[in-house]
Amino acid sequence: MLLASYWKAFQGFILWNKIDRKYHAPFYLLLPKEKEVSNYYALLHLKRFLQVRGFGEAVVLTCDREAAASLELFLEGQSVGDMVKAVCICRKDAVKLLKYYALNEFTSRLTVVSFTEPYDTHAQNLLGVHGVDWEELVCLDIYRFSEKVETVPPKYMGTEEKVNAFLRRGMWDGWDKKRAEASEKAVQAGRERTGCNREDGAYTEHYGYVKRP
């Protein structure tokens, strides 16, 4: 197992040097998985990150084809947009890069959009705590902003399914937040109605107040 990890790390070393020799980018963003909500917020705040860090160009290495198809939309109308390109890689190549990065943080020019790879930061445990959401995790844990700044999602009137599917990730996350807020309001209303505002239990819609075991 250990030997296999070292072998993949060595392959990652070769792959990284091949990529860097080809693109010579001052910054690389790695999206190592598909269908991740964090990928959506990474692109949503990429423009701000590049501006804050002063990067005029960048390469997005992505396993997420929907993200690659949507990148131009998220950078539309910006001077940095023409200098940022998406390069699709397979999941196996992403793992090789992650293994190499875990063994040796070989560059400060690479940011990985993941809370579990190359190592688990346990940041996802904060979801829902004091209103923390995916967007805030990406802003603070991935991009290291001092705070989350609300960013208006891009508007898209086209029919490209990959782009529409990618944009729906942000929409679903927004609906989940609204459902959570509505649920919390319902619970609080139930507590007020029944006079059960104690912290040793919880109000449930069907069973009323239930004391914790």
Side-chain angles (χ1 to χ4, degrees), residues 33-62:
K33 288 184 178 180
E34 292 186 280
K35 308 296 183 183
E36 295 288 319
V37 174
S38 55
N39 291 350
Y40 170 85
Y41 289 114
L43 292 199
L44 183 63
H45 291 276
L46 177 59
K47 178 171 59 182
R48 178 186 170 214
F49 176 81
L50 296 176
Q51 292 170 342
V52 169
R53 294 288 296 273
F55 293 128
E57 57 183 290
V59 169
V60 179
L61 303 170
T62 176

Side-chain angles (χ1 to χ4, degrees), residues 15 30 32 63 89-99:
L15 179 60
L30 175 61
C63 298
I89 63 174
C90 64
R91 171 63 183 169
K92 288 184 178 179
D93 282 345
V95 170
K96 292 173 186 176
L97 291 173
L98 291 168
K99 290 292 185 182

Side-chain angles (χ1 to χ4, degrees), residues 136-150:
E136 190 164 7
L137 285 184
V138 169
C139 287
L140 303 185
D141 193 59
I142 302 295
Y143 285 141
R144 305 293 182 181
F145 294 149
S146 59
E147 61 181 353
K148 181 180 79 172
V149 175
E150 295 294 339

Side-chain angles (χ1 to χ4, degrees), residues 101-165:
Y101 193 73
L103 187 65
N104 172 35
E105 293 190 15
F106 51 88
T107 181
S108 60
R109 295 181 294 132
L110 176 68
T111 291
V112 180
V113 181
S114 174
F115 305 110
T116 58
E117 296 180 304
Y119 28 73
D120 195 343
T121 65
H122 301 288
Q124 289 178 245
N125 294 340
L126 297 175
L127 284 171
V129 178
H130 301 298
V132 172
D133 55 20
W134 283 106
E135 184 174 11
E136 190 164 7
L137 285 184
V138 169
C139 287
L140 303 185
D141 193 59
I142 302 295
Y143 285 141
R144 305 293 182 181
F145 294 149
S146 59
E147 61 181 353
K148 181 180 79 172
V149 175
E150 295 294 339
T151 302
V152 179
K155 293 182 179 180
Y156 181 65
M157 304 301 291
T159 58
E160 174 61 48
E161 180 53 35
K162 288 181 180 178
V163 177
N164 282 314

